[in-house]
Amino acid sequence: MKSRTELHKLRKILAKIKECEKRIEKLSNQELSEMTKKLKKRYQSGESLDRLLPEAFAVMIEADDRVLKKRPYDVQVLAGIALHQGYMAEMNTGEGKTLAATMPLYLNALSGKPCILVTTNSYLAARDGQEMGEVYQFMGLTCSYPDADEKKKMTDDERKEFYHADIIYTTNSGLGFDYLFHNLVKKKEDRFLCDLNYCIIDEADAVLLDSAVMPLVISGVPRVQSNLYRVC
């Protein structure tokens, strides 16, 4: 739980965002979508993500409204700021967690490094990725999410493409197994996982506590029998 002082800091940032919204609302659709390139250029010139936050959040709020017909409420914006700052934000079902996540994901994607949203099952990852992907695409970013058909397995080339999108929606088990496969490849060039830069965990208690109890195991037959076990 955040203290009153911390909440006061979040509200001061919210006020800056609302000031930026007044200017962003006047932009045309093309001007709005071009803001991504401008913000990326400012980041590459040395501005920090924290410095870009008010304008980037205002841009995404307007994009959410125009593309999805859903304008984030102040409480959702506050949750987005908290998620960017590394806090755990508690939101009940129906309070718009999926929409709240679009703002910090967009902001961190301006760094040019992939951003990941982890959720508990492939249905939610596919649904949210497909729906939110429309607004990311509008803003000039790529978005990947799992196939609705869980039985369909990705090839290594498909995994490379999947993990090199700007924003990635996936599941905890999917990411966990891919991490194992990524580190079991024979050659360095066969690796496919992106750098782990920024991640939002949906249903954090379920992912980090409940699901974490079950180990992820990959079975296989070793090609060379090792004597290290006996030595150890």
Side-chain angles (χ1 to χ4, degrees):
M1 179 179 289
K2 299 178 71 61
S3 67
R4 290 185 178 181
T5 302
E6 291 170 320
L7 285 171
H8 179 67
K9 291 179 181 178
L10 291 185
R11 294 190 181 281
K12 286 180 67 176
I13 298 174
L14 174 63
K16 293 179 181 179
I17 294 170
K18 297 185 82 66
E19 280 296 317
C20 290
E21 282 185 66
K22 297 176 182 178
R23 174 171 56 84
I24 299 299
E25 287 176 351
K26 299 176 182 178
L27 300 179
S28 66
N29 284 348
Q30 183 176 350
E31 290 172 332
L32 180 62
S33 62
E34 288 177 350
M35 284 299 299
T36 300
K37 293 180 180 178
K38 294 180 180 179
L39 292 170
K40 278 187 173 183
K41 188 173 182 179
R42 286 167 55 185
Y43 174 81
Q44 293 165 357
S45 298
E47 284 195 57
S48 67
L49 292 179
D50 289 339
R51 183 73 178 270
L52 295 175
L53 189 154
E55 194 166 359
F57 268 49
V59 165
M60 202 57 184
I61 289 169
E62 187 64 25
D64 284 336
D65 188 23
R66 295 189 190 185
V67 178
L68 305 175
K69 308 303 180 185
K70 298 177 181 179
R71 194 173 191 87
Y73 293 104
D74 287 355
V75 289
Q76 293 171 311
V77 179
L78 288 170
I81 301 169
L83 289 172
H84 167 68
Q85 295 182 349
Y87 290 103
M88 183 178 290
E90 182 179 4
M91 300 180 71
N92 293 322
T93 301
E95 289 186 337
K97 294 181 291 183
T98 305
L99 193 64
T102 60
M103 292 168 280
L105 285 172
Y106 173 75
L107 172 64
N108 283 272
L110 295 175
S111 67
K113 301 176 183 178
C115 299
I116 302 174
L117 187 141
V118 174
T119 190
T120 53
N121 62 69
S122 57
Y123 167 75
L124 289 175
R127 183 200 68 181
D128 295 346
Q130 184 175 20
E131 183 180 5
M132 300 301 115
E134 294 182 18
V135 69
Y136 299 133
Q137 185 176 5
F138 174 81
M139 292 306 301
L141 299 176
T142 56
C143 177
S144 62
Y145 48 89
D147 195 292
D149 183 5
E150 295 184 10
K151 296 180 180 179
K152 184 180 179 181
K153 302 298 182 182
M154 288 190 291
T155 64
D156 285 349
D157 288 339
E158 289 174 333
R159 284 191 177 99
K160 283 182 181 179
E161 184 178 357
F162 182 85
Y163 283 108
H164 283 78
D166 295 307
I167 297 172
I168 302 157
Y169 283 75
T170 187
T171 64
N172 53 304
S173 60
L175 181 60
F177 276 117
D178 281 344
Y179 178 83
L180 294 177
F181 284 123
H182 173 80
N183 286 285
L184 288 173
V185 296
K186 301 174 185 176
K187 297 179 291 185
K188 182 179 179 181
E189 53 267 27
D190 290 336
R191 290 190 165 188
F192 53 83
L193 199 62
C194 62
D195 292 335
L196 303 179
N197 169 54
Y198 177 77
C199 178
I200 294 176
I201 302 177
D202 184 23
E203 303 289 352
D205 54 344
V207 171
L208 299 179
L209 297 177
D210 301 337
S211 298
V213 175
M214 299 297 294
L216 301 178
V217 179
I218 296 178
S219 60
V221 180
R223 295 190 175 187
V224 178
Q225 294 297 327
S226 174
N227 294 322
L228 291 178
Y229 177 78
R230 184 176 297 175
V231 173
C232 292

